[in-house]
Every structure is written in structure tokens, then in C-alpha cells.
Amino acid sequence: MGRGRAPCCDKTKVKKGPWSPAEDLRLMSFIQKHGHSNWRSLPKQAGLLRCGKSCRLRWINYLRPDVKRGNFTPEEEENIIKLHNSFGNKWSKIASHLPGRTDNEIKNVWNTHLKKRSTKKTKVSDSPMDDSDSPSCASSSITSHEDQNMEIRDQRVQESDAKKPNEKPEFLKVISRHPSDEPRETASSDSPTSSYASNFSNISGDNVTRLEETKGSTTSEDKIEIPFESDIDFWTLFDSLDLFQTTNPEQNVYENSNVSSATKMLDSEDECREWLRYLENELGLTGENGGDNLPNTEQKMNFEPEIDPDMDYFPIWPSSPQNFCI
DNA sequence: AAGAGATACAACCGCCAGCGT
DNA sequence: AACGCTGGCGGTTGTATCTCT
């Protein structure tokens, strides 16, 4: 063990808090292309103002292709309870027995309702009416009025969860879609992320199937390439889009699929020019608004990653917005 | 309709183990 | 053996959303 442990990153230069769709996209694009051999250096290389740990966590808990989102089934919940009895709070160990579920997710589920349920179940088990072996205690072992209320609440939560889109942002789903990827056995059919997840099934650490390798067999309807290579400025522009910077970006993207709106904006050349002008304005790159737009300019400057000349990222800068192939 | 409280979940933090030098 | 770095883990927190009064 080393002493005088160095901080994992410069806390003053990293962004914290919820991830924006643009950041997600950037991280996914980078990992899709380069894999994640080194989390520490990844944010810098990907042009993300995030701690490597944060990137890793985001990838593992949310963006990773094989992560199964959505409600836990009664079977899964029962499994968690059993596994927790065996392993205790060893969430990663428990997660390894539940394909597609992350330790964080399991931990949350446990702390929110399974723990209560489990303790109540234990109490019930202590009583003469012992049904500890019955599965899915959520629906079968509720006895008291309080428990009934809890069950009703759980049902409501599940119902609202069912309405709530658990999938990743629509715009992220278009990355590398290929018909042969669609059905995957690991994701349940009712899991909205299944098709999405399959799109990244070829990503694993150092073994990355690059987009370029599949370009030849790709048609427009099955693969839309996110221009990770384009240029860091593309991402700067992308991040600066108000489209994704609402107070509730997830809802914004999940429900309104604003990327399609963005795509529509590019439908005509005039609109493209207008859009570009708007962006330049926002970034303080135009004469009319230039030096006065300091915050945005600063934002842009701060966003520039340190470019390693030996790396081959961002080699192409699209000549005009219509070259953005979202 | 509005405010308070409860809940769910994403994200952060600090520590530790393992590995390479 | 000591050190330094990194990934991984588990506890905790912050906040958005939901439910109740």
C-alpha cells in the first residue's frame, strides 16, 4: 500500500453531479472506440471533465451494454434476499449471481425496500404462521395492515416504474444498431434496454471491435455512427446545445427525444447555417457577440482536453453541421 | 393546490487489495 | 520490502419524484 495517497484526480477541475446525455454519449463513444484500459486517463482522452472513477461508475452502473434496467422481478428480489443471507453486504458478490444487475442497483433495492421486507418477514417467520419458504414474500407473506400498505405502495411504485421509461436516451440507442444484434438472451424481453444493450455487446475492455471494421457491411438503417472522431470541437458544440441542458436532462431526452429534433433542425441547409450561426454566437466566435460572451468562451476553453499527439482521436472536423452524422 | 414527508436512485467518497516497479 | 498506481467495493449523500395530508 502506498502512503501519502495521491488524489485520483484534481477535484477542482472535474465536473460533479448528474451526467448529461452529451457526456454519456461521449463516454460511450470513447469506450466503443478505445475500450477502457485505463480509467484514470480515460476522461482526459475522451475530453470529459470527469474523474476516472466517475466514468467507470457511470459505465458500469448505467451505460454498460449488458446492464439490465427496470424493475426487479419477484424472483430476483427473492434471490437477493437469499444471497444477502449468505453473503451479507457483499453487493458485488450478490450482483455476480444476478446477470445484468449492478451492485449499486442491488444495494439500492435492498436499502429501499428489501431490507424492510426482509426484517418484517423475519418477524413473521418468528411467529407460528411461518411462511419463510414461500417465494416472493412481496405478495404472499404480508400480514399486518402496515405491510399491506407497503405492498400497495410497492405495487404503485412498480406501476409508475412501468410507465417510466427505464431505457437509455433514445439518441444513444442509435449507435451501432445492427439487426443481427437485436435479440440477446441476457436481457429479458420486457427490458427496454435489451436492444440497446446488444448494440454494445462487442465492447469489453481492451477487446474493442472498432466501428471502422464494420463500416463495409453497414447500411444507413442499421448503423448511425456518432462522430466521436470528428473533433473535440464537435463535442464542445454538442455540449453547448441547450437541447440537452435542461434542468431535467434525462426527462428531456427520454421523453422528448430531442436528438430527433436536433436532426430535424439540420434538414435544410438554411437551418444548418442558422444553427451554426447560433452556436458560434453562443460560443463567442462571431464578431457581433465575440468578446462579450466570456462565460461560453471560458466554457469552451476549459473543455479542451490535453491532446496527445500520438493518439489518433478527433482527426476530422466536419466542414459543416450537416456532416454531423447523428 | 400546496407543503411536508417519504422514497428511489444516481453519484460521490474513502478505503482496501492487487499488481507492477 | 517498500512504494505507487489503479480498479473495485461498500457506505453514504444529494436530489428528483411521489404520496399524503
Side-chain angles (χ1 to χ4, degrees):
Chain A
M1 289 290 285
R3 296 192 190 111
R5 180 186 173 78
C8 68
C9 52
D10 186 347
K11 308 280 184 198
T12 61
K13 289 181 182 171
V14 296
K15 187 182 166 207
K16 288 162 75 171
W19 281 65
S20 70
E23 287 176 306
D24 281 345
L25 186 55
R26 188 191 288 259
L27 177 61
M28 291 173 68
S29 297
F30 184 87
I31 292 177
Q32 184 183 31
K33 186 169 168 57
H34 299 286
H36 48 76
S37 55
N38 188 329
W39 286 112
R40 192 181 166 88
S41 61
L42 186 149
K44 193 190 278 184
Q45 291 175 2
L48 283 161
L49 289 172
R50 290 280 180 174
C51 170
K53 271 186 166 185
S54 183
C55 292
R56 178 185 157 268
L57 221 61
R58 183 63 178 171
W59 173 256
I60 287 175
N61 289 332
Y62 193 79
L63 299 174
R64 204 179 51 173
D66 55 340
V67 68
K68 183 165 71 179
R69 303 192 65 76
N71 298 327
F72 279 69
T73 64
E75 289 77 21
E76 282 177 316
E77 291 181 348
E78 186 65 20
N79 259 337
I80 292 170
I81 292 169
K82 283 177 184 168
L83 290 164
H84 188 269
N85 284 337
S86 308
F87 301 130
N89 290 3
K90 300 290 175 191
W91 306 116
S92 59
K93 213 163 191 173
I94 295 173
S96 68
H97 288 77
L98 293 162
R101 299 297 188 183
T102 68
D103 51 359
N104 205 37
E105 203 177 9
I106 292 168
K107 183 170 58 184
N108 280 333
V109 169
W110 174 264
N111 285 333
T112 49
H113 56 280
L114 291 185
K115 184 157 71 177
K116 295 173 202 161
R117 192 182 293 172
S118 179
T119 52
K120 289 189 183 303
K121 190 178 170 184
T122 309
K123 284 179 192 170
V124 171
S125 302
D126 291 342
S127 74
M129 296 285 285
D130 188 353
D131 61 348
S132 59
D133 287 337
S134 77
S136 190
C137 54
S139 57
S140 60
S141 62
I142 307 291
T143 52
S144 69
H145 180 67
E146 194 184 342
D147 290 340
Q148 283 178 351
N149 284 340
M150 198 162 76
E151 184 185 16
I152 290 166
R153 187 178 179 84
D154 280 354
Q155 281 179 348
R156 282 183 189 158
V157 168
Q158 292 202 348
E159 282 164 12
S160 71
D161 281 352
K163 291 173 198 161
K164 180 177 64 184
N166 283 308
E167 55 190 322
K168 285 146 184 163
E170 194 66 31
F171 77 98
L172 294 179
K173 290 198 291 187
V174 304
I175 301 174
S176 188
R177 177 172 295 156
H178 192 282
S180 63
D181 290 337
E182 293 297 337
R184 293 276 292 184
E185 69 291 349
T186 50
S188 62
S189 59
D190 60 344
S191 168
T193 55
S194 55
S195 64
Y196 165 87
S198 65
N199 295 334
F200 281 81
S201 58
N202 59 348
I203 302 168
S204 61
D206 300 331
N207 185 18
V208 179
T209 305
R210 293 178 176 231
L211 263 179
E212 292 85 350
E213 293 170 8
T214 57
K215 269 180 182 169
S217 61
T218 305
T219 57
S220 59
E221 82 277 6
D222 57 14
K223 182 170 289 188
I224 303 172
E225 184 180 348
I226 298 300
F228 173 76
E229 296 180 30
S230 296
D231 194 289
I232 188 63
D233 283 349
F234 165 80
W235 293 105
T236 310
L237 294 174
F238 193 88
D239 289 345
S240 72
L241 282 174
D242 286 342
L243 291 169
F244 299 102
Q245 307 296 336
T246 64
T247 51
N248 188 354
E250 288 196 348
Q251 182 186 358
N252 192 14
V253 174
Y254 290 163
E255 295 178 3
N256 300 333
S257 187
N258 275 319
V259 163
S260 45
S261 307
T263 310
K264 283 172 194 162
M265 283 175 64
L266 304 179
D267 278 351
S268 79
E269 205 171 325
D270 285 346
E271 284 170 338
C272 287
R273 285 207 199 91
E274 190 63 33
W275 183 60
L276 186 59
R277 200 174 307 131
Y278 165 76
L279 287 173
E280 286 173 342
N281 226 9
E282 283 296 300
L283 293 168
L285 302 175
T286 59
E288 51 188 295
N289 207 9
D292 296 330
N293 210 348
L294 195 56
N296 284 319
T297 307
E298 273 186 349
Q299 190 181 1
K300 180 181 187 310
M301 295 305 288
N302 289 337
F303 205 84
E304 297 289 350
E306 291 177 31
I307 304 295
D308 180 349
D310 294 324
M311 293 287 286
D312 65 341
Y313 40 74
F314 317 131
I316 307 159
W317 166 239
S319 56
S320 65
Q322 54 264 53
N323 285 2
F324 299 162
C325 47
I326 292 179

